[in-house]
Amino acid sequence: MATYFVTGGCGFIGSNFILAEIAKGHSIVNLDNLGYAANLDNLKDIANNDLYAFVKGDICDPKVIATILKTYKPDAVIHFAAESHVDNSISGPEIFIQTNVMGTYHMLEGARTFWNNNGRSKDFRFIHVSTDEVYGELEFDNVDKFDENTSYAPNSPYSASKAGSDHLARAWYHTYDLPVIITNCSNNYGPHQYKEKLIPNMITHALAGKKLPVYGQGLNIRDWIYVGDHCKGICLVLAKGKVGQSYCFGGNSERRNIDLVTQICGILDEIKPRRDGQSYNQQISFVTDRAGHDKRYAINDSKARAELGYSTDTSFDERLKTTIQWFLDNL
């Protein structure tokens, strides 16, 4: 069984990845600074598992990184840790530069030192987990989708910081031969997602009787990937991915924001009706659009499907309903 060094493992995607890998019998050491979007309860079921170790620390602290690498000698680093909320990056961009760019730099340098000092194992991997937002936006009427050859054109402080981290990861492969693989994915959804993100935000607001804030007219389009499918893709990259390459993972589930919010309302109407008998869609409220709001994201994941055998397990509609039920059971 492998040993993985995971960063940001108390967050949404990282915790789902850890739970899946522990279930397979792999060992995990999780480095997380427990920022506002992290939650130790995401991993409470494995907190005392002998295969799991948690270290509270910062990816910008090279001493902590070096100690973990020296102590646990992982077979791979999976770098999830990042500031990720676009709205927060607009109001306070500096922490995004510090965490996403400088944090990635320290992780790459720590991994490079460890790798060099331990015989430059041909099996070691550094997986840098990124986003489709680095590619900018697509027009509504454009049939094209983002893929691994799409030029970078980030439009927000968040996406610019992630683009910078992608470029560092690529450079550490080409300059230092560090066995890096980059992944870029579309919008994730599923259990353990922090409440600021669209789907849990709509669920919690709806149940609290609050307005459901939708930017502009809700016409912006996103491709949605279930977090379990994304984690499965990362596992395939670990097993089959080629070093120096990047792989895009999508859900092939494009939705306008207003259509998604309306669908959430419909599911809640079915499984958790309002006491007054009205639909939750009565709570939808259009608000001033986000500055620089990208029109559309969509992923072409044909490379991952062809080279890795990637596929999505179930339909968006099914997974959305189970996701909403999870939040109802865990609020």
Side-chain angles (χ1 to χ4, degrees):
M1 294 291 106
T3 297
Y4 297 142
F5 176 7
V6 174
T7 68
C10 293
F12 168 42
I13 305 173
S15 63
N16 277 278
F17 176 83
I18 288 174
L19 291 171
E21 295 310 294
I22 290 288
K24 296 175 186 176
H26 297 309
S27 297
I28 301 286
V29 54
N30 171 22
L31 174 64
D32 199 301
N33 70 353
L34 296 182
Y36 78 95
N39 188 350
L40 279 172
D41 285 346
N42 289 347
L43 298 169
K44 62 184 179 181
D45 291 343
I46 61 160
N48 298 315
N49 193 307
D50 291 340
L51 296 175
Y52 175 68
F54 171 67
V55 178
K56 185 179 185 300
D58 198 318
I59 57 172
C60 290
D61 186 342
K63 292 183 180 179
V64 170
I65 295 167
T67 298
I68 291 172
L69 290 164
K70 182 178 180 180
T71 302
Y72 292 93
K73 295 180 172 53
D75 300 290
V77 173
I78 300 93
H79 180 39
F80 292 103
E83 294 285 341
S84 65
H85 193 45
V86 175
D87 287 354
N88 291 346
S89 81
I90 294 170
S91 60
E94 183 173 355
I95 186 62
F96 285 75
I97 306 303
Q98 182 67 22
T99 300
N100 298 353
V101 179
M102 291 305 300
T104 298
Y105 160 74
H106 287 297
M107 286 301 305
L108 288 165
E109 274 294 87
R112 181 167 74 97
T113 299
F114 166 76
W115 185 61
N116 284 332
N117 290 344
N118 288 272
R120 296 168 67 93
S121 168
K122 64 181 179 64
D123 296 322
F124 181 77
R125 295 290 183 270
F126 186 107
I127 310 302
H128 175 63
V129 181
S130 190
T131 172
D132 59 357
E133 295 190 40
V134 299
Y135 301 125
E137 68 176 0
L138 297 165
E139 294 295 328
F140 292 132
D141 58 356
N142 190 338
V143 298
D144 292 335
K145 298 182 178 183
F146 300 137
D147 64 22
E148 294 80 3
N149 296 314
T150 302
S151 297
Y152 278 47
N155 290 323
S156 71
Y158 161 62
S159 57
S161 68
K162 287 299 291 183
S165 67
D166 288 11
H167 292 322
L168 288 176
R170 175 184 169 87
W172 258 243
Y173 164 70
H174 283 279
T175 302
Y176 304 114
D177 295 324
L178 185 68
V180 170
I181 302 174
I182 300 169
T183 66
N184 300 88
C185 70
S186 52
N187 281 31
N188 281 234
Y189 70 100
H192 303 299
Q193 190 167 30
Y194 188 63
K195 61 185 179 182
E196 69 188 359
K197 300 296 187 176
L198 192 150
I199 291 175
N201 183 265
M202 293 300 123
I203 297 168
T204 54
H205 275 64
L207 296 178
K210 298 179 179 178
K211 292 182 178 180
L212 307 181
V214 177
Y215 282 128
Q217 295 301 309
L219 302 180
N220 301 73
I221 296 172
R222 299 294 181 262
D223 174 32
W224 292 90
I225 182 173
Y226 183 66
V227 66
D229 289 328
H230 181 198
C231 291
K232 182 176 71 172
I234 293 170
C235 293
L236 289 168
V237 164
L238 283 164
K240 302 178 181 181
K242 298 177 182 177
V243 297
Q245 295 290 303
S246 61
Y247 295 90
C248 288
F249 295 108
N252 293 293
S253 299
E254 290 185 61
R255 297 289 189 284
R256 298 191 311 171
N257 288 344
I258 185 58
D259 295 332
L260 174 57
V261 174
T262 301
Q263 185 175 0
I264 292 170
C265 291
I267 294 171
L268 287 173
D269 289 341
E270 176 188 343
I271 62 179
K272 186 73 173 180
R274 279 177 32 164
R275 292 181 180 179
D276 63 5
Q278 298 296 309
S279 173
Y280 286 98
N281 63 29
Q282 301 298 312
Q283 297 167 226
I284 294 174
S285 174
F286 295 104
V287 298
T288 302
D289 207 357
R290 169 194 289 162
H293 200 175
D294 289 332
K295 295 177 182 176
R296 171 176 167 249
Y297 306 142
I299 285 284
N300 175 354
D301 53 23
S302 59
K303 177 180 177 180
R305 290 176 180 271
E307 295 188 12
L308 306 178
Y310 170 72
S311 64
T312 52
D313 286 334
T314 55
S315 74
F316 175 82
D317 294 344
E318 293 173 2
R319 286 299 194 186
L320 180 62
K321 190 168 185 177
T322 58
T323 295
I324 291 172
Q325 187 62 60
W326 184 91
F327 278 102
L328 292 175
D329 294 339
N330 289 274
L331 287 175

